[in-house]
Amino acid sequence: MSTASSFVRNGKKIVAIGRNYMEHVKELNNTAPKEPFFFLKPTSSYVPSGSPVEIPRGVLAHHEVELGVVIGKNGRDILQADAEQYIAGYALAVDMTARNVQDAVKKKGLPWTAAKGFDTFTPIGQFKPKTLIKDPHDLRLSLKINGAFKQNGTTADMIFRIPRLIEHVSSIMALEEGDLLLTGTPSGVGPVAPGDSVECVLTTPEGEVIDELKFDA
Amino acid sequence: MSTASSFVRNGKKIVAIGRNYMEHVKELNNTAPKEPFFFLKPTSSYVPSGSPVEIPRGVLAHHEVELGVVIGKNGRDILQADAEQYIAGYALAVDMTARNVQDAVKKKGLPWTAAKGFDTFTPIGQFKPKTLIKDPHDLRLSLKINGAFKQNGTTADMIFRIPRLIEHVSSIMALEEGDLLLTGTPSGVGPVAPGDSVECVLTTPEGEVIDELKFDA
Ligand SMILES: [Mg+2]
Ligand SMILES: [Mg+2]
Ligand SMILES: [Mg+2]
């Protein structure tokens, strides 16, 4: 099994883009970025579909459903025009966020790391080779809690598209086979409480299911 | 070779503690933390002793010499009393920091990731098994630029000691074999300019050299 297809076990980093969908930028009263920005989540935060997400005491946990891009080979200073060659596939993911912790550290100018990095804070679907996906910028991303839609967006609404994200990140830090790039979340983020049942689906515009992801909190 | 002794190649994360020496807290006009805080550096930022550090255009790069703790086995919610069992060894490291980028993101409440994560921004020494080190809280850490001392401190001055750091980090995210914990920098941080030659040494109080690290910028 390649490092890319076994990225959950063998990958080294998760690079997560912030504020990449305008409606989500607005719902958190943020301003739209002029260039992409990102943070790291530890791979120790991965949890496979079906396993529980643990919400630590005192944490207000928010869901952010996102398209994950699995890197297929090592590269630095990758040009947008070449970015496609560095993609092995995709996976559905949730960037769980301790929103109260994040709000506090943002005010103090401190790192986002703890707010984003708790164990089980990156529920992850299955590796889907890129050959299965015609257009990664034309996919529906949805998330339901206890059967009710909370997020239902399209990757067509990304502010910065995947090749631009790969170019930007790799101009700062090398991307390596098995790294996961989280591409930002559409609007509708909100709390996941202990006892909630969460279901996410990634589909084509025609409704064909590409990846699914479920967890209980 | 174990994952711990080959941590530069095989480790998954670098967890770096901020503001863990009072004189350094003061020199950057920060306030002392009530509990440890930390950020992640990507392992793609490692560069072995002797290889050059690349300073990107527009970046004011600062040196922060630090004692690195190499984790020897996986653990979550590790108690201070048990922390020693999770340590495989130590290594001298420099937490290179794009200070102008960090100052800008701190003001905006944005992640520190890019400021800390550029390729070659974690010069790293050799793995030293813990059996070689009598007391990790009684070591001298020094850094010279072009032969002149810039940092010269002792790990005795850490605000939070290593067992407390391991307890704190592992209460949030699992530590894994091969992870590196950077324990903060003593005072004296400052710029490294292109053309500078940097030498760092880790010694016992008696002056016995434990690890060395050199790079040109
Ligand atoms: Mg570069
Ligand atoms: Mg997100
Ligand atoms: Mg540091």
Side-chain angles (χ1 to χ4, degrees):
Chain A
M1 201 151 68
S2 72
T3 301
S5 61
S6 65
F7 73 96
V8 173
R9 181 181 297 268
N10 296 317
K12 289 191 171 179
K13 64 182 176 289
I14 304 172
V15 179
I17 306 293
R19 302 180 198 166
N20 202 26
Y21 288 80
M22 189 52 69
E23 293 304 313
H24 170 64
V25 171
K26 289 181 190 165
E27 74 182 344
L28 292 186
N29 294 314
N30 285 317
T31 50
K34 293 202 184 66
E35 63 173 11
F37 78 86
F38 59 95
F39 52 89
L40 294 172
K41 297 186 75 144
T43 59
S44 45
S45 67
Y46 279 133
V47 64
S49 181
S51 292
V53 163
E54 300 166 30
I55 301 175
R57 224 172 311 157
V59 163
L60 174 66
H62 267 202
H63 54 80
E64 300 187 352
V65 68
E66 310 203 4
L67 176 66
V69 178
V70 181
I71 301 299
K73 66 173 180 176
N74 298 0
R76 290 182 67 180
D77 296 318
I78 300 165
L79 297 175
Q80 290 191 50
D82 300 328
E84 165 65 21
Q85 303 164 35
Y86 292 83
I87 298 173
Y90 300 90
L92 187 57
V94 180
D95 171 21
M96 291 296 297
T97 303
R99 193 71 73 199
N100 56 337
V101 177
Q102 188 193 33
D103 287 344
V105 295
K106 280 166 67 178
K107 278 188 199 129
K108 293 182 190 161
L110 289 172
W112 291 18
T113 306
K116 292 286 191 175
F118 286 99
D119 292 336
T120 76
F121 264 37
T122 310
I124 186 76
Q126 296 293 313
F127 174 77
K128 302 294 170 175
K130 66 178 172 184
T131 49
L132 296 180
I133 287 139
K134 210 166 64 181
D135 182 359
H137 300 100
D138 190 16
L139 298 173
R140 293 213 71 84
L141 276 170
S142 70
L143 180 144
K144 286 180 188 175
I145 299 182
N146 305 325
F149 276 110
K150 298 294 179 182
Q151 295 189 271
N152 192 3
T154 165
T155 59
D157 289 341
M158 285 184 195
I159 298 172
F160 302 108
R161 293 190 155 217
I162 296 164
R164 174 87 157 87
L165 299 176
I166 288 174
E167 179 174 284
H168 180 75
V169 173
S170 73
S171 77
I172 293 167
M173 57 181 69
L175 288 169
E176 296 174 301
E177 189 185 357
D179 286 351
L180 183 71
L181 177 68
L182 295 179
T183 55
T185 194
S187 62
V189 303
V192 176
D196 280 346
S197 198
V198 179
E199 291 171 274
C200 307
V201 189
L202 179 71
T203 70
T204 65
E206 296 75 31
E208 186 202 340
V209 173
I210 294 170
D211 200 5
E212 289 180 290
L213 172 52
K214 294 176 196 204
F215 61 88
D216 292 336
Chain B
M1 201 151 65
S2 72
T3 301
S5 60
S6 65
F7 73 97
V8 173
R9 181 181 297 268
N10 295 316
K12 289 191 170 178
K13 64 182 177 287
I14 304 172
V15 178
I17 305 294
R19 303 178 197 166
N20 201 26
Y21 288 79
M22 189 52 68
E23 293 305 313
H24 170 64
V25 171
K26 289 181 190 164
E27 74 183 342
L28 292 185
N29 295 312
N30 285 316
T31 49
K34 293 204 184 67
E35 62 172 14
F37 77 87
F38 59 95
F39 52 89
L40 293 172
K41 299 186 75 145
T43 59
S44 46
S45 67
Y46 279 133
V47 64
S49 180
S51 292
V53 164
E54 300 167 29
I55 302 176
R57 223 172 313 158
V59 162
L60 173 67
H62 267 202
H63 55 80
E64 299 187 353
V65 68
E66 310 203 3
L67 176 66
V69 178
V70 181
I71 300 299
K73 66 174 179 175
N74 299 2
R76 290 182 67 180
D77 296 317
I78 300 165
L79 297 174
Q80 290 191 51
D82 299 328
E84 164 66 21
Q85 303 165 36
Y86 292 83
I87 299 173
Y90 300 90
L92 186 57
V94 180
D95 171 21
M96 291 296 296
T97 303
R99 194 70 73 200
N100 56 338
V101 178
Q102 188 193 33
D103 288 344
V105 296
K106 279 166 67 178
K107 278 190 199 130
K108 293 182 189 162
L110 289 172
W112 291 18
T113 306
K116 293 287 191 174
F118 286 98
D119 292 335
T120 77
F121 264 38
T122 311
I124 186 75
Q126 297 292 313
F127 174 77
K128 301 293 170 176
K130 66 178 172 183
T131 48
L132 295 180
I133 287 139
K134 209 166 64 181
D135 182 359
H137 299 101
D138 190 17
L139 297 173
R140 292 212 72 85
L141 276 170
S142 70
L143 181 145
K144 285 181 188 176
I145 300 182
N146 305 326
F149 276 110
K150 298 293 178 181
Q151 295 189 272
N152 192 2
T154 164
T155 60
D157 288 341
M158 286 185 196
I159 298 172
F160 302 109
R161 294 190 155 218
I162 296 163
R164 174 87 156 88
L165 299 176
I166 289 175
E167 179 174 285
H168 180 75
V169 172
S170 74
S171 77
I172 293 167
M173 56 181 69
L175 287 170
E176 296 175 300
E177 188 184 357
D179 286 350
L180 184 70
L181 177 68
L182 295 178
T183 55
T185 194
S187 61
V189 303
V192 177
D196 280 346
S197 198
V198 179
E199 291 172 273
C200 307
V201 189
L202 179 70
T203 69
T204 65
E206 296 76 33
E208 185 202 340
V209 173
I210 293 170
D211 200 5
E212 290 181 290
L213 171 52
K214 294 177 195 205
F215 60 89
D216 291 336

